[in-house]
Amino acid sequence: MSKFPKLVALGLLASFAATTALADKYDLGRKATPEEVAAWNIDIRPDGQGLPEGRGTVEQGEEIWADQCASCHGDFGEAVDRWPVIAGGFDTLASDDPIKTVGSYWPYLSTVWDYVNRAMPFTEARSLEPDQVYALTAYIMSINDLVDSDFELSHENFAEQKLPNESGFFDDDRLSSPIFDKSEPCMSNCKPKAEVVMRARILDVTPDDETDN
């Protein structure tokens, strides 16, 4: 499992430089105001950089979860219908049926906080206050057996929290690895043409269509 911070950073810098250069050259648009930048720049980094001040307990998070999250993700993160499972799945990543949850798969708690803040609840994204996001993140940690029921998460202790699978990820090295060097195209003894060997329905990975019943 890989991370690609360098690629993302280079892409953002290139995009910003190109946009600024075009705006200056062709007098297009205007510079974003500090308020506009702040509204857009909401990502949270693994070391906690970008976090707003705030705090929330497992108990507070449980109340918010029951009200706004459990209908999709279950009371304890077990999921309802086809909604994502949030808790459990420990020691399943090497199995034939891995269960990728916050406790079993996710590398950083910052990803949890950022995603909840950015996209949840599903129908009301960006409606939660920072304290609510801290509380929900604390509750998610609790149902994954990462903290005790009296735990409080805050901007002050956030960077101290580690998820079990952090070591399962590695830096993306595609800029330096010879495996990804495409400067010399393959001209002989190349990989044969890819062919479809089986349909998804035969593999039984396609959900049944209720209209067929």
Side-chain angles (χ1 to χ4, degrees):
M1 295 169 245
S2 82
K3 306 171 288 184
F4 45 97
K6 293 181 180 178
L7 286 178
V8 173
L10 288 174
L12 290 174
L13 287 174
S15 176
F16 177 77
T19 303
T20 303
L22 288 173
D24 291 341
K25 181 176 181 180
Y26 298 106
D27 194 26
L28 296 174
R30 60 171 175 77
K31 291 184 177 181
T33 65
E35 292 77 15
E36 290 170 335
V37 172
W40 170 82
N41 186 24
I42 63 171
D43 63 296
I44 309 301
R45 300 185 184 182
D47 62 359
Q49 184 174 339
L51 280 170
E53 292 188 3
R55 60 187 63 249
T57 66
V58 171
E59 183 178 0
Q60 293 167 337
E62 184 176 13
E63 295 180 6
I64 302 170
W65 180 276
D67 184 46
Q68 303 200 50
C69 311
S71 59
C72 292
H73 296 295
D75 291 334
F76 302 101
E78 72 277 13
V80 176
D81 296 327
R82 293 183 178 273
W83 293 101
V85 179
I86 303 299
F90 310 113
D91 300 322
T92 67
L93 296 186
S95 70
D96 292 333
D97 186 23
I99 302 174
K100 298 181 178 181
T101 72
V102 170
S104 70
Y105 177 75
W106 291 38
Y108 300 121
L109 191 63
S110 57
T111 309
V112 181
W113 202 101
D114 185 271
Y115 190 78
V116 172
N117 180 56
R118 185 186 300 269
M120 294 289 111
F122 182 64
T123 58
E124 298 181 67
R126 301 294 303 276
S127 64
L128 298 172
E129 297 296 328
D131 285 349
Q132 293 177 301
V133 180
Y134 278 107
L136 280 173
T137 304
Y139 181 70
I140 291 172
M141 295 175 71
S142 174
I143 59 178
N144 278 282
D145 297 326
L146 301 177
V147 296
D148 295 329
S149 59
D150 59 352
F151 175 74
E152 180 182 70
L153 180 66
S154 71
H155 64 282
E156 297 170 330
N157 66 1
F158 191 93
E160 302 170 9
Q161 314 308 316
K162 302 295 182 182
L163 297 186
N165 195 42
E166 180 176 339
S167 61
F169 286 73
F170 55 88
D171 288 335
D172 190 323
D173 62 352
R174 71 184 70 183
L175 294 179
S176 59
S177 173
I179 297 176
F180 299 101
D181 183 8
K182 301 299 181 182
S183 58
E184 294 294 335
C186 179
M187 302 302 293
S188 63
N189 298 321
C190 303
K191 183 179 180 180
K193 179 181 178 181
E195 296 181 0
V196 176
V197 296
M198 189 175 293
R199 302 293 179 182
R201 186 176 292 276
I202 299 176
L203 284 171
D204 196 27
V205 295
T206 302
D208 293 332
D209 188 343
E210 294 181 359
T211 60
D212 293 342
N213 297 331

